[in-house]
Amino acid sequence: MARPPYTKGLHDLGSGSYAWLQPDGSWGWSNAGLVTDGGESLLVDTLYDLRLTAEMLDAMRRATPAATRIGTLVNTHANGDHCYGNQLVAGATIVASAESAAEMDELPPDRMASILKNAGALGPGGAFLLRCFGGFRFEGIVHTPPTETFRGTAVRRVGAKEVHLLEVGPAHTKGDILVHVPADRVVFTGDILFIDGTPVMWAGPVGNWIAACERIAAMDVDTIVPGHGPVTDAQGALRVGDYLVYVRDETRERFDAGLSPADAARDVALGDFSSWGDAERIAVNVHTLYREFSGGTLPAPNALELFALMGELAQR
Ligand SMILES: [Zn+2]
């Protein structure tokens, strides 16, 4: 079927699956999904705050009675723009990888709320944090973690349909999964795919992520719903892998030459990829690659310094 347009809201993918899209896909503006069959439903991810998530759930209930009571919520990974709205689906079975469930506890919504409240006093890093996330409302959100976890693969049922949960992380985060619905020929990739936006690698190793892109491209599906950006196809998935290979190789040269990670991030020319949004994420990607190249001996960078460097790169 025709690819849905990249407009805000709910898009019927046919066969009972839906995509909720939030242009422009930049920092915090994530996609989600719904799988229905026989009056049952499974939600793929919630959104960054309660207002956005409530608006999505309303639209889903208007589109299909199956969304009136969501039986299962799957979180593709631990970033808040995919799970901070979980509170509004409390009562559902909430499923994530064990690694994601643990990672969600590291930055619960109340912590994010207090970081942003103080961000004005945190210099350039705080300023860029506010620029990225200042439009969302984190105050008062109740941390609502998964109720069931798995490692590797798991199968859930929605009516007569199977939903396959495939762990491909650590990559973007520590426990990324893909949500594949074979009967609907759809895969929801979470943030393994950013389309027309720059991937951000918080965890790595990069090889896991490149392999995941190839795995998505080889799937027998018609519709690929990324974590951010428009619905895409196999070529779109491979293009994300191309970015990661390019950045890996460019970063390796600078690592071997002894550049600091910050100078390497300033130095890599993004070429064709510079047209993708949020190109400043190269700063995170280079730092994560440096840690990988060093065999994990480099300490994790200070998050505020990373955001300050991204703010600097975003000015260019
Ligand atoms: Zn995201």
Side-chain angles (χ1 to χ4, degrees):
M1 71 173 281
R3 205 180 293 181
Y6 190 40
T7 53
K8 186 194 163 177
L10 195 65
H11 297 270
D12 188 345
L13 304 175
S15 315
S17 281
Y18 300 80
W20 179 263
L21 305 179
Q22 291 198 103
D24 60 358
S26 61
W27 292 102
W29 295 103
S30 51
N31 299 329
L34 184 73
V35 182
T36 68
D37 193 48
E40 297 181 13
S41 63
L42 177 148
L43 179 67
V44 182
D45 283 340
T46 54
L47 305 177
Y48 218 169
D49 66 23
L50 301 182
R51 180 180 50 102
L52 292 171
T53 303
E55 181 190 11
M56 173 178 77
L57 293 173
D58 275 349
M60 288 174 169
R61 283 189 285 258
R62 282 199 302 274
T64 168
T68 306
R69 207 191 66 81
I70 289 168
T72 307
L73 161 63
V74 175
N75 292 128
T76 58
H77 63 289
N79 284 167
D81 53 333
H82 300 262
C83 65
Y84 278 1
N86 283 8
Q87 175 188 349
L88 297 185
V89 200
T93 300
I94 305 178
V95 186
S97 69
E99 293 295 334
S100 286
E103 193 177 3
M104 282 177 204
D105 292 337
E106 294 173 15
L107 186 58
D110 60 339
R111 189 126 182 271
M112 188 69 177
S114 74
I115 290 169
L116 280 181
K117 210 167 133 193
N118 300 315
L122 297 176
F128 193 63
L129 265 174
L130 276 175
R131 195 177 125 188
C132 294
F133 305 123
F136 302 98
R137 300 179 195 164
F138 304 115
E139 296 81 13
I141 299 180
V142 177
H143 181 43
T144 308
T147 58
E148 289 184 20
T149 63
F150 71 98
R151 290 177 199 278
T153 64
V155 178
R156 294 270 146 184
R157 284 197 171 277
V158 180
K161 279 179 196 168
E162 284 190 351
V163 178
H164 296 185
L165 311 182
L166 312 169
E167 189 173 18
V168 294
H172 164 65
T173 61
K174 292 176 183 172
D176 310 281
I177 67 170
L178 309 175
V179 181
H180 179 209
V181 192
D184 292 357
R185 305 180 59 78
V186 173
V187 61
F188 300 93
T189 71
D191 285 2
I192 291 299
L193 295 184
F194 290 79
I195 300 300
D196 298 339
T198 303
V200 56
M201 187 164 68
W202 299 110
V206 69
N208 279 358
W209 197 340
I210 294 164
C213 292
E214 289 167 354
R215 184 171 178 179
I216 292 164
M219 281 180 161
D220 189 18
V221 294
D222 296 325
T223 307
I224 300 174
V225 181
H228 294 256
V231 169
T232 192
D233 57 14
Q235 286 308 313
L238 292 174
R239 212 49 202 134
V240 174
D242 290 345
Y243 170 91
L244 295 167
V245 167
Y246 176 77
V247 168
R248 177 197 66 192
D249 294 348
E250 292 290 313
T251 302
R252 182 79 217 197
E253 279 180 27
R254 288 157 180 84
F255 176 85
D256 290 341
L259 266 70
S260 74
D263 282 343
R266 292 181 182 107
D267 193 49
V268 171
L270 288 170
D272 290 351
F273 300 113
S274 63
S275 65
W276 288 359
D278 305 322
E280 68 275 7
R281 292 171 178 166
I282 185 73
V284 178
N285 298 339
V286 165
H287 275 86
T288 302
L289 285 163
Y290 264 58
R291 263 201 329 284
E292 182 176 337
F293 296 153
S294 75
T297 56
L298 285 177
N302 175 291
L304 210 54
E305 285 171 20
L306 263 185
F307 272 86
L309 178 57
M310 285 197 280
E312 175 198 316
L313 296 179
Q315 301 273 333
R316 304 202 302 200

